[in-house]
Structure formats: C-alpha cells, structure tokens
Amino acid sequence: MLCIISSGTENFFIVKLCQLYAIPYEVIADTIAWPYDDKEHNYLIQRVKSIIELHQEKNKECLYVVSPSIELGLFLHDHIFSQKNIFPLFSSYLSYCFAHSHSGRLWLLWWWSDLTHINEYIKSHSNDYTKSNNQIKTKKFLFPFALRNKEVPLWNYLLRLLSPRQVFVNKLVKEDLKYFKDANVDTIIPLHYSYFRIQRTIQLFFNQKKQVFHGRDIMKKMFLELSATYKSIRSENEKIDKVEIFHSWSVHFIQEKKREYMLSGWGKYNLNYERIDLK
C-alpha cells in the first residue's frame, strides 16, 4: 500500500497513478499545516517524519509518497529512514532527467521552499553518477550538472484554485517561461507535482528537440517500474474497496465535490475520514 502525505491537494497527481495501476492507497491530509509550500524546509522534514511514525503505530505496512523537495531532503539527510519508508518516485524521475540530458544544463522550476536541498542533493548525486555513452561522447557536456532556476510562486497558488486550462493560467505560465526561452538549457525539471497539470503548455512553449520537459508519461513509467520493484505495496489478495483519509484539521476543500469524487476512484471506492492528532 502507498500512503500519500499532502497538506492539501498538491500531491493528488499520485492518487491518479495509484488508481491507474490498481495500487491500494491512503491519504494523510495534514491540513492544519496547509500550505506546505511556504513552510521552512527543515520543519517540514521533521513534521513528515513525525507523521510517518504516528501512522506506523497503526501497524500498517506501506511506503509513503511525499512532495519532491521533502523526498530529496529526507534522502539527503536521513538515508536509512528514507530507504525504509519513502517511495522514491521523484528521485527516480530526477535520475531519468539526468540520464537523458544531452548538455548537462538543467533548469529547475521551483518556489522558494523547494530549492533548499536540491543543490545539495544534485551535488551528492553527481559524485555517484555515471555518464551515459552519449554524454561521454558530447565534448561540451557539463558535469557536474549546470543548474539554472526560475521561481514561480504564483503557479502554486493558482493551481490550487483554477483549472490549468484557464486563459489566465496559461498566459502567466508562458510569461514566466520566457525567462528561459533563449537560455542554453536542455532539460526543464519541475519541483512540484502540480506542475505536471500544465505540462501541455510547457511542452508546447519549447522546442522539444532542444529543451525537454519530461511529462506525465515518464512519471507513469517511473511509477510502474517502482511498483514492480517494491512488490510489498501491491498485495494479490488486497482489493481497493475503501480509501482511508486521515486529516489533522478541516477537510472542507478535500470534500469539494470533484475532488472527493476523484479520491473515490470516480465513485468506485468508499471514503472513510479519520481525524489524527497533529499539532
């Protein structure tokens, strides 16, 4: 089973992957700390560890999916805990981006809280990274990787409230992307799962032969490969008939009709709400 930890709806993209591949899942909505996006990073890492330890008291065997920046921070600073408890989805996606970079120039889409540990993680990863044959043959390939970044704080707020198809959202995204339109980078990496909701706008903005945004198809591929590796998350005798939603405070935005319908697998599963004691 997978347990998806989120302060709101920012990681609900993973719920759809669980439904797509019939992986049993639970959701921990840490709504009392909503939104995670503007919290100090070390505080979030310790909070998520506390949530995991509290959930494990229920004697449930599962792996946990957390936000990308929190996942990387946990693997960087508490590798043993992370190997045992964290489903390394974003780490695998990041490794895929590294392996398919053709110039070693990476662009990170982030908000201020997301970048705290990313440079340390990439530096640490570079020490063990082996370049592909194509990267070795490329004389101008930069290694360690060259990083550029663009802060996009409004994306986080607007994607909570508006459809990614709205004209205003698309115009804002395109305006932010102009910053790197002529930049010499080859791979665009999102540090937030909600950014995959606007992948069409991002991919159409760039020339995909020169600047690549690896979208939902690659994330699905990583998810499927990890599901085969971590066989404990899928039990042959375990069928999804209900989904547990643990929450630390109000769940009014989760119980909004469309979101609740999505969480229930479009009406296939019953939802059971349970309050947990988090401060």
Side-chain angles (χ1 to χ4, degrees):
M1 177 179 288
L2 285 180
C3 184
I4 300 157
I5 300 177
S6 181
S7 66
T9 60
E10 67 267 20
N11 294 338
F12 280 11
F13 168 63
I14 312 303
V15 171
K16 295 182 179 180
L17 294 182
C18 290
Q19 294 169 353
L20 179 63
Y21 298 112
I23 302 295
Y25 63 94
E26 295 180 346
V27 175
I28 297 180
D30 187 16
T31 49
I32 200 170
W34 179 86
Y36 274 176
D37 297 330
D38 58 7
K39 301 295 188 299
E40 198 275 325
H41 204 83
N42 289 324
Y43 163 78
L44 287 179
I45 289 176
Q46 294 304 316
R47 184 172 184 84
V48 166
K49 287 179 67 175
S50 298
I51 290 172
I52 291 173
E53 291 167 356
L54 179 63
H55 185 256
Q56 287 175 337
E57 292 178 3
K58 298 179 178 293
N59 298 319
K60 295 192 176 183
E61 292 186 8
C62 64
L63 291 175
Y64 298 84
V65 180
V66 296
S67 300
S69 58
I70 297 175
E71 178 186 325
L72 298 183
L74 282 169
F75 273 103
L76 184 66
H77 297 295
D78 199 338
H79 194 71
I80 296 176
F81 176 87
S82 302
Q83 279 191 318
K84 181 181 178 182
N85 297 293
I86 302 300
F87 189 71
L89 181 59
F90 192 77
S91 305
S92 300
Y93 173 81
L94 200 57
S95 295
Y96 182 93
C97 292
F98 293 163
H100 289 79
S101 170
H102 56 260
S103 70
R105 298 176 173 88
L106 311 176
W107 173 26
L108 308 176
L109 289 171
W110 67 292
W111 195 25
W112 70 273
S113 64
D114 292 332
L115 205 63
T116 308
H117 296 285
I118 189 70
N119 287 326
E120 292 181 61
Y121 180 88
I122 292 178
K123 182 179 179 181
S124 174
H125 183 87
S126 296
N127 294 333
D128 302 321
Y129 179 73
T130 302
K131 292 188 287 185
S132 67
N133 291 333
N134 287 336
Q135 290 171 343
I136 292 173
K137 293 176 183 178
T138 303
K139 294 182 179 180
K140 295 184 178 180
F141 186 85
L142 295 181
F143 190 78
F145 297 105
L147 300 179
R148 299 186 70 173
N149 60 79
K150 172 64 176 174
E151 185 179 8
V152 287
L154 286 178
W155 293 17
N156 296 47
Y157 285 112
L158 293 177
L159 288 173
R160 296 176 197 150
L161 306 172
L162 303 176
S163 166
R165 297 181 181 179
Q166 293 219 6
V167 174
F168 175 70
V169 175
N170 276 271
K171 285 188 175 181
L172 174 67
V173 170
K174 290 177 181 178
E175 189 65 30
D176 284 333
L177 293 179
K178 285 181 182 178
Y179 182 77
F180 279 99
K181 180 67 174 180
D182 299 318
N184 191 19
V185 296
D186 68 80
T187 305
I188 295 91
I189 300 175
L191 298 181
H192 207 280
Y193 284 130
S194 66
Y195 297 168
F196 287 99
R197 296 178 61 201
I198 49 175
Q199 73 167 41
R200 186 172 183 274
T201 301
I202 297 173
Q203 289 176 334
L204 290 176
F205 187 83
F206 293 109
N207 180 345
Q208 288 292 298
K209 293 182 179 179
K210 296 181 179 179
Q211 296 171 312
V212 180
F213 177 85
H214 299 292
R216 289 188 292 267
D217 288 345
I218 300 303
M219 189 60 76
K220 289 177 182 177
K221 178 182 178 182
M222 298 296 101
F223 186 89
L224 194 57
E225 289 178 358
L226 287 170
S227 299
T229 302
Y230 294 90
K231 296 181 180 180
S232 61
I233 68 172
R234 189 201 303 262
S235 173
E236 294 181 1
N237 300 322
E238 189 173 11
K239 294 182 179 180
I240 304 177
D241 54 3
K242 69 174 182 178
V243 175
E244 299 282 352
I245 309 291
F246 300 95
H247 57 97
S248 58
W249 195 45
S250 171
V251 288
H252 67 277
F253 57 86
I254 294 177
Q255 291 179 322
E256 187 272 331
K257 188 174 181 180
K258 289 184 178 179
R259 288 174 183 153
E260 194 169 49
Y261 189 51
M262 184 277 294
L263 284 171
S264 68
W266 316 109
K268 294 179 181 178
Y269 323 126
N270 295 319
L271 299 181
N272 181 48
Y273 291 91
E274 181 179 335
R275 179 76 178 264
I276 55 176
D277 186 19
L278 291 174
K279 297 180 180 180

